[in-house]
Amino acid sequence: MTDCIFCRIVAGEIPAKLILETENVVAFHDLNPVAPQHALVIPRRHIATLDDATDEDRELLGQLMLAGAEAARLLGCAENGYRTVMNCKESGGQSVYHIHLHVLGGRPFSWPPG
Ligand code: 5GP
Ligand code: ZN
C-alpha cells in the first residue's frame, strides 16, 4: 500500500469531498481550507513535485490546469476570479509530495504571497 495521501484518495482508500473527476485528474475540497472555496486538483498518476514533471507530462499538466478552471466554475468563484497555486518543495511550502493545484476563491488575494 502506498503511503502517499493523495494516491490513497485516488484509490478511494481515504475519503475526500469530490468536485470533479476525469480520466486523468481528480478535484476535491481541501481538508483545511484557507479560503471560502479551496479545491485541490491532482493527477491520478503519482508525480512527487513539479520539479519531477517531464515533457511527457505536458498534456497531463494542461488537463490539471483546465480541471482547476472547471472546479472554480463549479464552486461558483469563476466570475469574481480566483487564485491558483502549485507549491514546489520545501521553499515553495509543499507539504504533500504528489503534485496538486490549489484553487482558492471566495475572497480577494494579495500579491506578493507570503
Ligand atoms: P501543500 O502544502 O503541499 O501545497 O498542500 C497540501 C494541501 O493538502 C494542504 O492544503 C492540506 O490542507 C491538504 N491536505 C492534506 N491532507 C489532506 C487530506 O487527507 N485530505 C484533503 N482533502 N486535503 C488534505
Ligand atoms: Zn501520490
Side-chain angles (χ1 to χ4, degrees):
M1 188 208 307
T2 173
D3 60 0
C4 172
I5 295 169
F6 288 173
C7 281
R8 296 188 67 192
I9 286 177
V10 168
E13 294 169 8
I14 293 177
K17 284 175 62 184
L18 290 181
I19 299 166
L20 69 86
E21 285 187 283
T22 72
E23 183 185 355
N24 296 319
V25 307
V26 180
F28 53 90
H29 291 270
D30 196 291
L31 196 59
N32 296 112
V34 297
Q37 306 295 343
H38 187 171
L40 300 173
V41 191
I42 68 172
R44 291 185 187 275
R45 180 158 58 79
H46 183 91
I47 302 170
T49 80
L50 185 58
D51 191 46
D52 296 298
T54 70
D55 204 46
E56 290 183 1
D57 302 315
R58 177 190 297 250
E59 173 79 18
L60 182 59
L61 292 174
Q63 292 174 2
L64 200 72
M65 292 298 293
L66 291 173
E70 179 63 13
R73 285 189 286 271
L74 290 171
L75 293 172
C77 45
E79 193 174 342
N80 285 342
Y82 52 91
R83 174 71 56 86
T84 56
V85 176
M86 186 179 286
N87 298 322
C88 183
K89 296 185 179 174
E90 191 176 353
S91 288
Q94 185 175 4
S95 61
V96 177
Y97 277 62
H98 177 134
I99 58 170
H100 48 281
L101 186 69
H102 293 262
V103 179
L104 302 151
R107 66 172 172 84
F109 298 94
S110 59
W111 193 263

